[in-house]
Amino acid sequence: MAKLLIVEARFYDHLNDLLLEGARAAIEAAGHKHETITVPGALEIPGAVALAAETGLYDGFVALGVVIRGETYHFEIVAGESARGLMALSMDGLAIGNGILTTEDEAQALTRARKSEKDKGGEAAKAALAMMALKARFG
């Protein structure tokens, strides 16, 4: 039984609740354990994953958050840099599922977050589990 850490940027509570529901359900359905921590925003997720990875307590990580386009360039920075940070950590050998939604509006985020629709939280958890399996195979 593996243990995963869900790292969430809880900026939109109602959307994060949906993402968490999907991620937790997928991890539990696979027979694994999980913990959840919250960070201020999506930019802090890679740093939190890196800090947690140093403990050796977790086999995989699920990144969850929602970034909705606003009126400024900030959206591009947050979306791009959080993804870049997670990709760098995965290239260093961490098993990570990226469930940070980057959408134009709340309606798109709702569709992607709901377990009954796109279930991106569940998909991120399944991606982390798949990467854990690859790590075990090649590691």
Side-chain angles (χ1 to χ4, degrees), residues 11-134:
F11 195 80
Y12 300 98
D13 289 342
H14 63 297
L15 297 170
N16 270 71
D17 287 343
L18 296 169
L19 289 170
L20 278 169
E21 177 187 356
R24 289 173 173 161
I27 293 167
E28 291 166 7
H32 301 296
K33 293 182 178 184
H34 58 82
E35 278 183 45
T36 302
I37 62 167
T38 302
V39 297
L43 285 174
E44 288 75 34
I45 292 175
V49 168
L51 290 170
E54 290 178 6
T55 70
L57 296 173
Y58 306 100
D59 303 293
F61 302 89
V62 181
L64 300 178
V66 179
V67 183
I68 298 175
R69 185 180 299 279
E71 297 175 1
T72 69
Y73 185 68
H74 189 250
F75 170 86
E76 282 81 5
I77 293 170
V78 173
E81 291 301 311
S82 62
R84 185 198 58 75
L86 292 173
M87 181 58 69
L89 291 168
S90 69
M91 297 297 288
D92 286 340
L94 296 184
I96 302 172
N98 185 351
I100 301 174
L101 304 181
T102 53
T103 65
E104 296 293 327
D105 54 42
E106 184 176 344
Q108 289 179 350
L110 279 168
T111 297
R112 285 158 180 74
R114 286 188 188 115
K115 202 170 162 231
S116 61
E117 293 183 62
K118 297 199 181 261
D119 190 23
K120 294 298 183 179
E123 285 186 15
K126 290 174 186 174
L129 293 168
M131 294 306 291
M132 288 166 48
L134 280 177

